[in-house]
Amino acid sequence: MAELAPAQEPVVQTTLFHAPRSLARIISNRNVLLITAVCALAILVAIIVAGIVATPAAQETDFARRDLAPSLAHPFGCDWLGRDMFLRTLAGLSLSIRIGLLAAVVSALIALVLGTIAALGSKVADGIVTWLIDLMMGVPHLVLLILISYALGKGFWGVTVGIALTHWASLTRVVRAEVLQCRQSPYIAVAGKLGASRLRIAAKHIVPFVFPQFLVGFILLFPHAILHEAAITFLGFGLPPELPALGNILSESMTYRSTGMWWLAVFPGLSLIATVLLFDLAGGALRKIVDARTNQE
Amino acid sequence: MALEMRNVRFGYGNVPLFSDLNLTIEPDERVALIAPSGTGKTTLCRLLAGYERPQAGTVTVGGQHLRKKGACPVQLIGQHPEQTLDPLMRMEDSLREAGEPDGALLDALGIQGRWHSRYPHELSGGELQRFCIARALLVSPHYVIADEITTMLDAVTQAALWEFLLDDQRRKGWGMAFVSHSEALTKRIATRAIDVEALICS
């Protein structure tokens, strides 16, 4: 019979130094998201402010620096009137974000009101709102936008009202569906049987349920609004040509591109894309934080 | 304060399920509702607790119709606790919807303090069901309708929850109707059994 091995003393190891925790664990995921969202929003606010400050300088012409290619002094180059393209781009982005902000807020409010009426109101109200949504989604955005802007005499208000009145449909559909889904949940019926009032159910159950989707939809309206503002101005139905708007900058650059002045289109275009992506980043990060299904991962 | 159904008619679509249904449950009773699956036990429970309105006839407690406002005197506890709790609400807030939590009640149900700050998806079915029972009893109902409330739980938890419910019922004197497919449980608990199959229209 084989001898049993003598029972060994368990080896007790004491760790003097823990391995350094990885950076990702120290700065939790949630904080990374929060920092991302805050940074993205801070950059956007900085662009708005810097653009407002830079607007007078952006309109200054100086024929001594006419057609200058990008350099350290003028990172985005200068145009045929000797205007600094960096300042013009900044001013244009600022204007676009301000218009986008105003239009998106109005659009989101329309969506919230109509979506709630459709979900909580009578069948007739729901029918009317649903019909309006289908109508709006059936007509091409840009055509309607051009019509509204033109009817209002173009300019700042033409563009803003046009964007606000054409962008609410998809968010309204989201709000309506979310409110309906939440209202039919068993836990809403139970809350009512436990004595919760309609107002309390709306405030405690329905609003927290709808809010994350609404917030994300709202933030994702910005890039849409900004791109449409640029598009309609590019086509000449938006902001007046003397304003340093991105649509104007890009449409003017078309004339000079064949002469080799590539910087007139490339840098403003890239800046527009970068701004839109910043909004996307902020929206995505905020959604993950607000949404309870993912906020603890 | 009897729970009474008088001449109740109800059905889904054009197909009648109950017509001229009469049923009385007294405050000290524990009535078992027995029938094979799909007969209409859950519908009967929902009618008793006011979740469905009868197409004709009345459901009353002590002669009073079930109120639309305020806490209902008949509380239904269901089979799926995870569906009857708001997934975005912490347990303490869900509980507070029924009123100020009663420490003794929570202890008797075995609800632990650290569960309160959690969300429903962070608790098991048995733990959630305890909260649902606590919530229903916090509004001091005259009747509790238990629709297969322990079907998905293990035997130990089942025994503990029924032990608690029987004790609470004896002390506070509320009436009960319950659905269970377990014959042993029915024998042990029920003071009377009703065959739901005999109540529905054929």
Side-chain angles (χ1 to χ4, degrees), chain A residues 230-243:
Chain A
I232 192 177
T233 306
F234 179 86
L235 292 175
F237 297 101
L239 300 173
E242 70 272 13
L243 275 182

Side-chain angles (χ1 to χ4, degrees), chain B residues 25-36:
Chain B
I25 301 174
E26 298 292 339
D28 54 348
E29 276 191 306
R30 297 187 296 271
V31 177
L33 304 172
I34 303 165

Side-chain angles (χ1 to χ4, degrees), chain B residues 90-92 95 106 111-118 131:
Chain B
R90 291 182 194 278
M91 300 311 298
E92 52 195 354
L95 205 54
L106 299 184
I111 292 175
Q112 296 179 15
R114 60 198 159 95
W115 297 349
H116 286 265
S117 58
R118 296 201 187 157
F131 275 100

Side-chain angles (χ1 to χ4, degrees), chain B residues 4-201:
Chain B
E4 287 184 286
M5 292 181 112
R6 286 279 158 266
N7 311 327
V8 165
R9 191 180 74 212
F10 187 80
Y12 295 105
N14 289 325
V15 188
L17 183 61
F18 301 111
S19 64
D20 209 25
L21 170 65
N22 290 290
L23 187 69
T24 306
I25 301 174
E26 298 292 339
D28 54 348
E29 276 191 306
R30 297 187 296 271
V31 177
L33 304 172
I34 303 165
S37 294
T39 312
K41 298 189 297 292
T42 295
T43 304
L44 182 58
C45 287
R46 290 176 64 82
L47 278 165
L48 280 169
Y51 282 83
E52 304 286 355
R53 286 171 144 267
Q55 287 153 355
T58 56
V59 180
T60 55
V61 173
Q64 303 268 313
H65 285 275
L66 300 180
R67 281 164 296 169
K68 275 200 109 178
K69 276 187 180 158
C72 185
V74 185
Q75 286 293 325
L76 176 70
I77 306 172
Q79 198 175 354
H80 305 289
E82 69 282 0
Q83 289 178 4
T84 57
L85 290 159
D86 188 335
L88 302 182
M89 232 183 205
R90 291 182 194 278
M91 300 311 298
E92 52 195 354
D93 297 324
S94 282
L95 205 54
R96 205 163 287 128
E97 242 176 1
E100 267 314 300
D102 164 5
L105 179 77
L106 299 184
D107 286 344
L109 269 168
I111 292 175
Q112 296 179 15
R114 60 198 159 95
W115 297 349
H116 286 265
S117 58
R118 296 201 187 157
Y119 287 100
H121 70 264
E122 296 167 327
L123 292 173
S124 72
E127 290 159 357
L128 292 178
Q129 194 63 295
R130 288 164 207 254
F131 275 100
C132 287
I133 293 172
R135 191 165 66 153
L137 293 178
L138 271 179
V139 296
S140 312
H142 296 300
Y143 288 89
V144 170
I145 315 291
D147 184 9
E148 299 199 47
I149 58 170
T150 56
T151 308
M152 72 302 193
L153 304 177
D154 63 88
V156 177
T157 315
Q158 276 199 29
L161 289 186
W162 279 109
E163 208 63 60
F164 164 81
L165 280 171
L166 286 183
D167 179 58
D168 199 74
Q169 195 236 354
R170 279 195 204 103
R171 281 193 294 115
K172 296 183 188 159
W174 38 266
M176 179 199 282
F178 71 97
V179 174
S180 171
H181 286 296
S182 157
E183 242 175 80
L185 188 67
T186 308
K187 256 188 206 144
R188 181 79 185 272
I189 289 164
T191 56
R192 176 157 71 103
I194 294 176
D195 183 5
V196 180
E197 234 175 347
L199 299 177
I200 62 167
C201 15

